[in-house]
Amino acid sequence: MSNPFGKKIWMTAIVAGLFLTALSNTVQAQFLVQQIGGVKVDPSGVLVQTTDAMNRDARQLVLDQLAELKDDIRKSTQLRMVSVRGLEAALAHAAETGTDLPDEIKFMAGIQRIQYLFVDPETNDLIIAGPGEGWTADEQGNVVGITTGRPVIRFEDFIVALRTAEAANKDYGISVSINPSEEGTRNLQTLFRRKGFDPSMQNEVERALGPQNISFTGLPTDSRMAQVLVVADYRMKRLAMGFEPAAVAGMPSILELAEQRGQSIRMTPRFWMECSYEPLRKSEDGLSWELRGAGVKTLTENQILTRDGSIKKTKDHPIAKKWAQNMTERFAALADADPIFAELQNVMDMSVIAAIIEKHNLLGKAGIELPHIAGVNDNVELPKWSEPKTVSSQCSFVRIKNSWMVTVSGGVQVDSWSVLEQVQIDESIADTRARASLGASQSAWWNSVN
């Protein structure tokens, strides 16, 4: 079975999500690592923070693999188009010949957010469009725009979004969740009953909780898209608990908010992120669509530990609610400054686009089939990422009126179909579609001509 995303290699041989060609040296392959957004999943499925040395190595490995950019794809543009028919053709060619995909396909021509989706029945094509430019590797080895520093859209993520569009409309949807185990919460309750609570018990509390479990619904757990969701969730929790500073101003942790207000807190809040867009715009004929808004919001609910060690929902804590609102308000700025949250925006965008295509039968309207992208042909194998399973528990405390916060749970919910419930008709989108089609050629991508 050929692997057009990079010849089939060892599980540990994908560097920062870059599709690599086959490595003949087994020893060399074993030194390569997977990582994204400053986090990696080790062979046992545990999330760990990357070190500066690991980041330097990953960056250099990515730079060594990137092909030299031509001027037309290097330059920045507010409207770059990518042909879905062109993506399918490139994938079919790679599968048939056993060759690697070119970088311009792997990185979707450097588009950094999907703003538009157009149907072109005349050329039997779907076109996605948005701002784009050339790419490089940042200090953590993420593939990002050369001037903006924002991650580029990944073809492998786009494929997963299209393949899971139907699952996203099911009751369970597409999600990731990081939560304490039942055994861990029982151990914690036993510890508190036996010894009470004091901030000096931090190590005991973390040992009692043990590893927190990572669970998924609706998508392949060994996909890059799954890792984007779990790493974004993990990083959100670290920001909430103050284990690392936010990349933008005005985002204190929950404990810092408590200190500022002088309020007591005794909680184990649950935070989760889900889709958040302004109403979609579309043309009357349904051939032109526009996504608007930050794409992500943060929600919360408070939880308590019961005597039997279970966790039950209780009244939302005002400080947790304030933190969630604060992150929602600053998410767009945070995504500009922190690649993992921009990656999450990209996943949300792709999932919404996939839902539009599925719900409105845009493949049928375009007169196009995507057997390789859809996975109908079994000679396409996506890169395999290490499956995230657990993450070590960490606890935070603050000395304000006997305040404490044991841990934060939650996740990411990709509720893409709910976004389709609010749509506005706007004929100006059709004008943008006409402008986008002017530069169309045999290439899989092109820039707007005006």
Side-chain angles (χ1 to χ4, degrees):
M1 186 182 300
S2 64
N3 178 5
F5 292 94
K7 301 281 177 60
K8 192 170 184 180
I9 53 179
W10 295 268
M11 295 281 279
T12 55
I14 300 174
V15 182
L18 181 66
F19 314 125
L20 301 180
T21 54
L23 295 174
S24 58
N25 187 328
T26 303
V27 176
Q28 181 184 7
Q30 292 173 345
F31 283 97
L32 305 183
V33 295
Q34 295 181 347
Q35 63 184 68
I36 183 171
V39 178
K40 75 165 188 174
V41 180
D42 73 13
S44 63
V46 179
L47 258 66
V48 295
Q49 298 266 108
T50 57
T51 64
D52 289 343
M54 292 165 61
N55 291 337
R56 285 193 298 271
D57 290 344
R59 180 176 190 270
Q60 190 58 54
L61 284 166
V62 173
L63 289 174
D64 289 345
Q65 292 293 326
L66 291 177
E68 185 177 353
L69 295 171
K70 296 180 180 179
D71 290 342
D72 56 349
I73 203 167
R74 173 183 287 274
K75 70 178 181 180
S76 176
T77 176
Q78 286 302 306
L79 193 61
R80 176 166 292 171
M81 277 60 65
V82 175
S83 162
V84 175
R85 185 183 66 174
L87 296 175
E88 169 69 18
L91 191 55
H93 175 76
E96 292 166 4
T97 61
T99 55
D100 190 28
L101 286 170
D103 286 358
E104 63 187 52
I105 299 297
K106 298 172 189 175
F107 305 125
M108 301 280 280
I111 287 182
Q112 295 166 5
R113 282 214 62 183
I114 298 178
Q115 186 176 359
Y116 298 103
L117 171 65
F118 304 123
V119 183
D120 192 342
E122 294 182 1
T123 61
N124 303 118
D125 205 357
L126 293 179
I127 300 167
I128 60 175
E133 63 177 346
W135 51 84
T136 186
D138 70 6
E139 293 181 355
Q140 293 179 334
N142 304 303
V143 179
V144 300
I146 54 179
T147 63
T148 64
R150 285 184 60 94
V152 297
I153 301 285
R154 300 296 193 97
F155 188 27
E156 63 176 306
D157 295 339
F158 186 59
I159 290 175
V160 172
L162 290 173
R163 291 183 180 181
T164 57
E166 186 176 351
N169 195 32
K170 304 295 184 182
D171 290 340
Y172 52 81
I174 294 175
S175 69
V176 62
S177 183
I178 302 177
N179 297 298
S181 67
E182 292 184 5
E183 179 182 5
T185 53
R186 286 195 299 269
N187 291 342
L188 183 64
Q189 191 67 13
T190 299
L191 175 65
F192 285 169
R193 286 200 304 267
R194 180 168 56 87
K195 299 185 66 173
F197 172 77
D198 185 272
S200 65
M201 295 167 55
Q202 179 169 346
N203 291 338
E204 287 184 85
V205 170
E206 291 175 352
R207 285 195 299 271
L209 271 174
Q212 297 195 33
N213 296 325
I214 300 170
S215 58
F216 295 93
T217 64
L219 81 166
T221 57
D222 60 0
S223 64
R224 183 180 186 276
M225 182 170 164
Q227 291 216 2
V228 169
L229 297 183
V230 73
V231 173
D233 182 34
Y234 171 71
R235 290 284 307 285
M236 174 187 66
K237 292 175 174 58
R238 289 183 60 81
L239 297 182
M241 299 184 72
F243 292 130
E244 60 183 89
V248 296
M251 277 194 62
S253 69
I254 294 177
L255 301 183
E256 289 171 319
L257 285 175
E259 289 178 311
Q260 292 171 8
R261 297 186 176 194
Q263 293 183 1
S264 175
I265 57 172
R266 296 175 66 87
M267 60 178 174
T268 55
R270 175 179 174 81
F271 293 106
W272 70 96
M273 294 180 286
E274 61 181 45
C275 294
S276 179
Y277 291 82
E278 297 175 26
L280 302 176
R281 288 176 177 165
K282 75 167 186 174
S283 59
E284 183 69 41
D285 60 11
L287 301 182
S288 306
W289 294 79
E290 181 183 10
L291 275 60
R292 301 184 300 148
V296 182
K297 64 181 176 182
T298 304
L299 301 172
T300 185
E301 64 183 18
N302 197 26
Q303 301 172 327
I304 58 172
L305 291 170
T306 62
R307 288 185 177 274
D308 64 1
S310 62
I311 295 179
K312 291 185 177 181
K313 180 181 177 182
T314 185
K315 184 178 179 181
D316 291 346
H317 196 288
I319 293 180
K321 189 173 182 179
K322 172 62 178 176
W323 191 88
Q325 291 173 340
N326 198 24
M327 183 164 183
T328 297
E329 292 169 359
R330 288 169 169 76
F331 192 88
L334 183 63
D336 286 338
D338 192 326
I340 188 56
F341 296 110
E343 293 270 17
L344 180 60
Q345 280 183 320
N346 290 344
V347 165
M348 296 297 198
D349 290 350
M350 286 182 275
S351 297
V352 172
I353 290 297
I356 295 172
I357 293 171
E358 178 76 13
K359 180 177 181 179
H360 296 281
N361 187 29
L362 297 192
L363 292 179
K365 290 183 178 181
I368 184 177
E369 295 182 352
L370 307 174
H372 293 82
I373 289 177
V376 176
N377 289 14
D378 62 2
N379 61 343
V380 173
E381 181 179 358
L382 292 174
K384 302 296 184 182
W385 288 66
S386 297
E387 182 181 353
K389 297 178 181 178
T390 62
V391 60
S392 299
S393 293
Q394 289 183 281
C395 305
S396 291
F397 311 102
V398 62
R399 293 179 180 274
I400 303 175
K401 301 178 182 178
N402 195 32
S403 298
W404 55 269
M405 179 174 66
V406 174
T407 187
V408 170
S409 63
V412 178
Q413 181 73 33
V414 186
D415 53 335
S416 51
W417 285 70
S418 68
V419 179
L420 278 56
E421 296 173 2
Q422 297 188 59
V423 181
Q424 298 175 346
I425 302 297
D426 186 340
E427 282 306 306
S428 68
I429 310 300
D431 296 335
T432 306
R433 171 175 166 264
R435 181 162 60 93
S437 300
L438 291 177
S441 66
Q442 296 301 312
S443 172
W445 68 272
W446 61 93
N447 293 328
S448 174
V449 296
N450 56 5

